[in-house]
């Protein structure tokens, strides 16, 4: 009995197997956390783009309410068009023209194609793939169900 007590006292630290098991558990937890975070990141980027598209769309609606027509180009929301009187413009209607979460400029088309039935402009982001006209585009038009 005394022999076992002495061995317990002499053994200090961890065995190689115990260290490897702990490292394996940490790697599995880390990989899971990265997977969860990357999904949340993608969702957050898409939501941020949708919010910015809605903001630009609302600014174009304000412009239309004040000027009587939609802006011909996106920059008209931020800088007065040369052919418009300052009293009629009363802008800027949006402070910044932000880039989307993937670093691309937002697209603007008036008259719109997606919103032609409403007579309003199209505003969209190219989405994560950086290409316009693909299914990951984020725009101000109604979703097709």
């Amino acid at each position: 009995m005394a022999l076992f007590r002495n061995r317990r006292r002499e053994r200090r630290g961890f065995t190689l197997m115990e260290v490897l098991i702990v490292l394996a558990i940490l790697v599995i937890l880390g990989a899971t956390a990265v997977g969860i975070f990357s999904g949340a990141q993608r969702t957050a980027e898409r939501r941020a783009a949708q919010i910015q598209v809605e903001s630009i769309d609302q600014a174009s609606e304000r412009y239309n309410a004040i000027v009587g027509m939609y802006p011909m180009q996106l920059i008209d929301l931020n800088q007065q068009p040369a052919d418009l009187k300052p009293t009629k413009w009363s802008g800027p209607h949006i402070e910044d023209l932000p880039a989307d979460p993937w670093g691309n400029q937002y697209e603007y088309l008036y008259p719109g194609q997606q919103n032609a039935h409403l007579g309003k402009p199209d505003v969209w982001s190219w989405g994560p793939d950086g290409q316009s006209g693909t299914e990951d585009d984020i725009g101000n038009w109604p979703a097709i169900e």
Side-chain angles (χ1 to χ4, degrees):
M1 193 73 144
L3 180 64
F4 289 113
R5 285 186 188 156
N6 287 340
R7 284 189 181 173
R8 278 191 195 156
R9 287 185 190 145
E10 291 176 18
R11 181 179 169 219
R12 299 197 187 256
F14 299 103
T15 66
L16 179 60
M17 186 58 78
E18 290 170 333
V19 171
L20 290 176
I21 289 172
V22 169
L23 284 175
I25 291 170
L26 290 174
V27 167
I28 290 169
L29 289 174
T32 303
V34 167
I36 290 170
F37 175 73
S38 66
Q41 181 69 26
R42 282 191 297 272
T43 301
E45 287 170 341
R46 292 189 61 79
R47 185 67 187 131
Q50 185 63 48
I51 289 169
Q52 289 174 333
V53 163
E54 290 169 7
S55 175
I56 295 168
D57 184 50
Q58 290 170 359
S60 73
E61 291 294 337
R62 282 191 303 275
Y63 183 100
N64 181 38
I66 293 168
V67 176
M69 60 180 276
Y70 287 101
M72 296 307 292
Q73 52 190 352
L74 193 56
I75 194 71
D76 293 349
L77 293 172
N78 190 262
Q79 297 175 8
Q80 179 184 335
D83 60 345
L84 194 62
K85 294 179 183 176
T87 55
K88 197 166 187 180
W89 185 63
S90 70
H93 298 276
I94 193 167
E95 290 299 319
D96 297 320
L97 294 175
D100 70 13
W102 304 280
N104 301 308
Q105 294 300 312
Y106 285 95
E107 296 293 326
Y108 179 91
L109 179 64
Y110 182 74
Q113 293 176 346
Q114 300 286 337
N115 289 314
H117 61 289
L118 299 172
K120 61 184 270 181
D122 294 341
V123 180
W124 73 99
S125 163
W126 293 354
D129 70 356
Q131 296 178 354
S132 185
T134 57
E135 67 180 45
D136 72 338
D137 290 359
I138 300 164
N140 67 335
W141 46 82
I144 298 172
E145 303 285 329

